[in-house]
Amino acid sequence: MVAKSGIPFTNLFVDQTLEQLIRELKVAGGITGITQNAGALDRFFLIAPELIKLIKDFHDSYCTKSDQPATKEHYQLSGSMAVRMFNNSGLIKKGIVKHCDGNPFSRKNINLMNLVSNMEVPENAKDDILLRDEKGTEKFEEFVCERVVASTAKMSIWDPMKKIKLKTFTTCRKKTQCKVGNKLVKLREDRQLLTRFLLVQQSRPSMIQSLSDTIGRYEFSVIPRSLFSSDGLLLIPADKSSFVHAIEECSIELSSEQNSTFDVPSTVESRNKVCIIDAMAIVQAIKKGPLMVYCSDFANAFVRSIKKIISGYEEGRVIFDRYLENSLKAQTRSKRSTGIDPVKFDINDATNIKLVPLKTLLSHIETKSKLTEYLGKAVLREYADSNKSVVVVYGTWTYCNKPNIVDPNIIEHSHEEADTLIPMHVLDASKTDGDTRDIDVYSPDTDVFVYLMDLFSSNNIAGHVRFITGKGKAKRTIDIRTRCEAVGTEKSKGLLGLHAFSGADWGGKFAGISKSRWINHYLTLESDSDAVDAFQKFGEDDFDQESVSDVLESFVCEVYAKNSKCRILGELRWELFRTKNLESEKLPPTLGALKPHIQRANAISAINKGYREPRPQTPLLTDNGWETISDGTISPKKCLEPPAPESVVELVKCGCRSECSTARCSCHKNNLPCTPLCKCGDCSNASDFDVPDQDEDIDE
């Protein structure tokens, strides 16, 4: 026994200890070190009892045993250890709630899902996972009945047994096909490719490139985990607000040139004031009380909130999102609402919603589309005879309570999100006949803030533009002019591209790299640096990926390892793998995975910069980092390179019972030595390994 103490549950058998520790160190399992040396193994088992006896005699002779009563509880349930475990459990709970947008265990009709990736388990695997104990018990009883009990036995206990092959979370992982020569090899997302590569490199070194080149070039994963979750979906950023905080805290000293970039508005108190409101943010903020029984009550609460905001302005614009069935934005909304079954409601004054939670009411895309029209009309009715100028945007049309409020060219639009409609209306509201207007934008969305920074840095707007965000004590007003001056004109123009590149809603983010880390490094750059120029070109007609790839590759390297001198992704991946033992999502993406990400970021930037016109042309997604898969849907491209070298993807291995010396052995037939992954026994085709001398002790 390995006895650390006399406290229960802290004694482990020697073989259990060895298996646990070695399993962590050796993916393939098995005992290494002294157990491969017969002489050392014999000495180990002969000397172990004598060592224990010596230790016991020492304790008895010198009275080293404590007089205090023995502790009867597990050491992890007392003292600071228990406090630490309690605090850690609280942190885990907060992490789950934040990652899953609420407590996933409190939802009704929740589908079985992976908490790490938010991947829903397919229906054909759900029963196997949830009922594995029952199915195992059933098979055990069947085994006893058919093979053990004499009165019911139908077969021998030694007869072969058929595996039931229960599906697990692992078998539900993303699969892909990789072309190797003229063959298509199916691979499932797991983390065994690197292990397979190392074994092949050891046994067949002539078939493998150097380890440094291979680690730098290949992901060793079907899914590039630095950009995707295990189910093949793009990672969704959960910390976009840190982008705003970093810019708020920016206090770069301004040069005289930067100060003269923007015209300072005159301080006239009587200037016309306009507010532009993100309508769905108001909808989300409404609290359903017991008196809110019908949809008409909900509409009244919404109108009251709008009136409260507009009361201090001469003009108000209320902007709703547009909801499209098969858009990429809809996919993002769907992933965020994992576990909630969408329920469709008929929206009218008499619809009873007393017992309907707000999340359920907003769960179906058709319901939300009808709700935007219903609430928009309610606002227009409220201000039909008002002296205030009110504009409401829902669907593809813009409605006004007075003529000539907006530019006729923007009456009809093709935008999907209010995020891009808001800056378009800011630009429209700022174009007046000689009057300077102050514009306040009410929105909690980081995207809107970034678009306003891009808008202000690219256009000469005379009045103030303020971004009002947050709730309660966190509510604050951010002056866009001041922030553009602090960041600098050129870098402000590149923020939109950086935002899309570092993590947008439906463009993906880098695993383990926060938004604040990207923006903080960006703010340290010189205004005329190549990286700033590259981000400015995102979404523009003259964007050329080849001309910016090297610059962005260097920028990514700087963010991942600012103290490293590596500016090539392959070299940095090898350095981090070699010095810090990092792999998978902890490494930066390969160049083959980064290039499709650059394409997606450019396409997203082009869509976002579409705020400049009412009917922008949307880039073709299949030409910009997405592809059409077998079921006809659009899916992001994972990587331009195969997950591993061909010799690893299509691994030749045998299961011979003989010496592997004939053509019946697949390895021998292909002139390849057998590897440790082969299932052969007494093999004469294995490559030469350095086996230590039998008399030499090995301590591993």
Side-chain angles (χ1 to χ4, degrees):
M1 299 286 286
V2 178
K4 291 176 63 179
S5 70
I7 302 173
F9 305 110
T10 57
N11 296 334
L12 296 173
F13 288 105
V14 173
D15 58 343
Q16 288 178 316
T17 307
L18 287 172
E19 288 295 335
Q20 283 186 344
L21 294 177
I22 293 172
R23 183 65 180 85
E24 294 176 2
L25 298 174
K26 306 290 183 182
V27 177
I31 300 177
T32 61
I34 62 172
T35 57
Q36 293 182 350
N37 187 315
L41 189 62
D42 289 341
R43 289 193 293 274
F44 174 79
F45 283 109
L46 285 172
I47 199 173
E50 298 300 324
L51 289 175
I52 293 175
K53 184 179 179 181
L54 288 173
I55 293 172
K56 185 176 183 301
D57 291 343
F58 177 83
H59 285 310
D60 293 340
S61 301
Y62 292 94
C63 301
T64 57
K65 293 184 178 180
S66 174
D67 295 332
Q68 296 181 356
T71 305
K72 296 300 182 182
E73 63 180 358
H74 194 277
Y75 69 95
Q76 289 187 346
L77 298 178
S78 61
S80 60
M81 185 68 73
V83 175
R84 188 189 309 168
M85 290 181 64
F86 179 80
N87 293 336
N88 288 342
S89 63
L91 293 174
I92 292 172
K93 179 182 176 181
K94 288 181 180 179
I96 292 175
V97 169
K98 181 178 179 181
H99 182 67
C100 299
D101 194 20
N103 182 0
F105 303 104
S106 64
R107 299 172 184 167
K108 295 181 180 179
N109 302 321
I110 185 172
N111 295 324
L112 185 63
M113 58 182 285
N114 186 324
L115 288 180
V116 176
S117 64
N118 272 351
M119 177 188 71
E120 286 195 24
V121 175
E123 289 295 327
N124 60 354
K126 187 184 298 184
D127 287 345
D128 286 352
I129 294 174
L130 296 179
L131 303 177
R132 62 178 183 177
D133 291 340
E134 289 82 351
K135 291 187 177 184
T137 302
E138 181 183 344
K139 283 295 179 182
F140 174 74
E141 292 173 350
E142 182 182 313
F143 175 86
V144 172
C145 180
E146 294 182 351
R147 298 169 186 260
V148 179
V149 180
S151 59
T152 58
K154 299 178 182 179
M155 59 185 72
S156 168
I157 195 173
W158 306 113
D159 286 345
M161 295 179 61
K162 185 178 180 180
K163 294 182 179 180
I164 56 177
K165 296 182 179 179
L166 296 178
K167 293 182 174 61
T168 64
F169 282 107
T170 301
T171 58
C172 298
R173 288 174 179 168
K174 185 76 174 178
K175 297 179 182 178
T176 190
Q177 290 184 335
C178 182
K179 190 171 184 180
V180 180
N182 296 324
K183 298 181 180 179
L184 283 177
V185 179
K186 285 188 177 181
L187 293 174
R188 180 184 287 117
E189 167 58 17
D190 59 29
R191 308 202 179 196
Q192 301 298 322
L193 282 176
L194 181 58
T195 304
R196 189 189 293 186
F197 163 76
L198 295 174
L199 291 172
V200 172
Q201 187 196 42
Q202 184 183 37
S203 305
R204 303 167 183 172
S206 61
M207 300 182 62
I208 299 291
Q209 299 175 351
S210 67
L211 182 59
S212 59
D213 293 341
T214 310
I215 294 294
R217 179 180 176 185
Y218 298 102
E219 291 283 348
F220 285 101
S221 175
V222 172
I223 307 297
R225 298 300 295 276
S226 56
L227 294 167
F228 295 84
S229 58
S230 60
D231 55 356
L233 296 178
L234 289 165
L235 297 172
I236 297 178
D239 60 340
K240 291 197 301 181
S241 60
S242 62
F243 205 84
V244 180
H245 295 314
I247 296 175
E248 280 187 275
E249 296 168 1
C250 179
S251 57
I252 300 175
E253 293 294 331
L254 302 177
S255 65
S256 58
E257 181 182 356
Q258 286 176 320
N259 276 320
S260 63
T261 303
F262 305 105
D263 294 333
V264 179
S266 59
T267 55
V268 180
E269 295 296 333
S270 60
R271 279 208 304 260
N272 198 355
K273 296 176 67 177
V274 180
C275 71
I276 299 177
I277 304 169
D278 185 341
M280 289 310 292
I282 303 298
V283 171
Q284 297 280 0
I286 293 176
K287 295 182 179 179
K288 281 183 80 275
L291 300 179
M292 193 176 292
V293 180
Y294 301 103
C295 274
S296 57
D297 300 325
F298 189 87
N300 291 335
F302 176 79
V303 171
R304 285 196 299 270
S305 299
I306 295 296
K307 288 181 67 177
K308 184 177 180 180
I309 297 174
I310 293 181
S311 61
Y313 298 88
E314 286 75 25
E315 180 182 317
R317 303 192 182 195
V318 183
I319 316 292
F320 286 93
D321 287 294
R322 189 160 67 103
Y323 295 93
L324 305 178
E325 282 283 352
N326 298 315
S327 67
L328 290 174
K329 182 64 178 179
Q331 292 182 17
T332 301
R333 295 189 184 108
S334 176
K335 183 170 182 179
R336 282 180 169 167
S337 60
T338 298
I340 301 176
D341 292 330
V343 181
K344 185 160 60 173
F345 293 88
D346 184 25
I347 302 298
N348 57 62
D349 288 345
T351 301
N352 192 316
I353 58 171
K354 182 177 181 179
L355 302 178
V356 181
L358 185 59
K359 276 194 173 183
T360 305
L361 181 64
L362 301 177
S363 62
H364 201 285
I365 194 168
E366 288 187 27
T367 303
K368 286 190 285 189
S369 184
K370 292 178 181 178
L371 187 64
T372 58
E373 181 179 354
Y374 176 74
L375 296 177
K377 289 180 178 179
V379 174
L380 289 170
R381 284 196 302 271
E382 181 67 26
Y383 286 96
D385 300 321
S386 174
N387 292 326
K388 290 184 182 292
S389 299
V390 175
V391 178
V392 179
V393 182
Y394 60 84
T396 59
W397 291 91
T398 302
Y399 304 88
C400 309
N401 69 338
K402 295 179 181 180
N404 303 321
I405 300 178
V406 301
D407 186 338
N409 292 323
I410 70 169
I411 293 294
E412 185 180 5
H413 70 88
S414 61
H415 291 261
E416 179 182 1
E417 295 188 74
D419 296 355
T420 52
L421 283 167
I422 288 173
M424 184 179 76
H425 277 266
V426 169
L427 194 59
D428 177 72
S430 67
K431 296 177 181 177
T432 58
D433 297 331
D435 295 333
T436 300
R437 312 181 85 182
D438 290 340
I439 303 170
D440 290 347
V441 175
Y442 289 81
S443 174
D445 204 315
T446 300
D447 296 350
V448 175
F449 172 78
V450 175
Y451 304 160
L452 292 177
M453 292 287 289
D454 181 79
L455 168 70
F456 205 93
S457 61
S458 304
N459 297 272
N460 187 15
I461 298 177
H464 285 289
V465 176
R466 290 182 288 257
F467 180 69
I468 301 174
T469 188
K471 299 178 182 178
K473 294 181 179 179
K475 186 176 181 179
R476 59 201 188 278
T477 300
I478 305 172
D479 188 276
I480 300 299
R481 178 188 304 277
T482 304
R483 292 301 91 208
C484 283
E485 289 175 346
V487 174
T489 308
E490 297 304 317
K491 282 192 278 190
S492 295
K493 291 178 181 178
L495 285 176
L496 193 149
L498 174 68
H499 179 54
F501 181 80
S502 60
D505 278 345
W506 45 277
K509 59 159 286 187
F510 292 78
I513 307 296
S514 64
K515 293 282 287 188
S516 59
R517 191 163 164 184
W518 290 103
I519 182 62
N520 286 331
H521 180 69
Y522 178 80
L523 293 175
T524 63
L525 300 176
E526 296 294 332
S527 296
D528 58 351
S529 69
D530 292 337
V532 172
D533 181 65
F535 286 120
Q536 287 180 3
K537 292 178 179 177
F538 271 80
E540 302 292 347
D541 294 336
D542 60 347
F543 178 82
D544 179 25
Q545 182 171 348
E546 293 302 321
S547 64
V548 302
S549 289
D550 291 343
V551 175
L552 295 176
E553 181 181 7
S554 176
F555 182 78
V556 171
C557 291
E558 292 171 6
V559 172
Y560 267 86
K562 62 180 181 180
N563 295 325
S564 173
K565 296 181 180 179
C566 295
R567 292 297 176 263
I568 297 175
L569 281 173
E571 295 178 359
L572 180 61
R573 282 173 59 86
W574 168 241
E575 180 180 301
L576 295 177
F577 178 85
R578 176 176 56 85
T579 60
K580 298 186 178 181
N581 294 325
L582 301 183
E583 56 180 292
S584 193
E585 68 269 19
K586 295 182 180 180
L587 289 176
T590 59
L591 191 58
L594 181 66
K595 286 184 176 180
H597 179 76
I598 294 174
Q599 290 179 317
R600 289 190 291 270
N602 175 58
I604 294 169
S605 299
I607 293 172
N608 294 339
K609 287 184 176 180
Y611 72 78
R612 300 168 182 174
E613 51 186 297
R615 290 173 292 278
Q617 290 187 345
T618 303
L620 188 62
L621 295 180
T622 50
D623 292 338
N624 290 278
W626 281 272
E627 59 187 351
T628 305
I629 56 179
S630 56
D631 61 358
T633 58
I634 299 294
S635 176
K637 287 182 182 178
K638 307 301 185 295
C639 188
L640 303 181
E641 294 281 353
E646 289 186 8
S647 56
V648 176
V649 173
E650 190 185 23
L651 178 63
V652 178
K653 57 182 179 179
C654 69
C656 304
R657 297 183 180 179
S658 59
E659 297 182 354
C660 301
S661 57
T662 66
R664 295 180 63 184
C665 172
S666 56
C667 297
H668 186 275
K669 182 179 179 180
N670 289 280
N671 296 319
L672 296 172
C674 293
T675 72
L677 293 175
C678 295
K679 298 180 180 179
C680 48
D682 186 14
C683 180
S684 61
N685 188 39
S687 58
D688 294 331
F689 296 100
D690 293 331
V691 180
D693 187 73
Q694 292 293 318
D695 295 329
E696 182 182 350
D697 287 344
I698 303 176
D699 186 13
E700 291 188 10

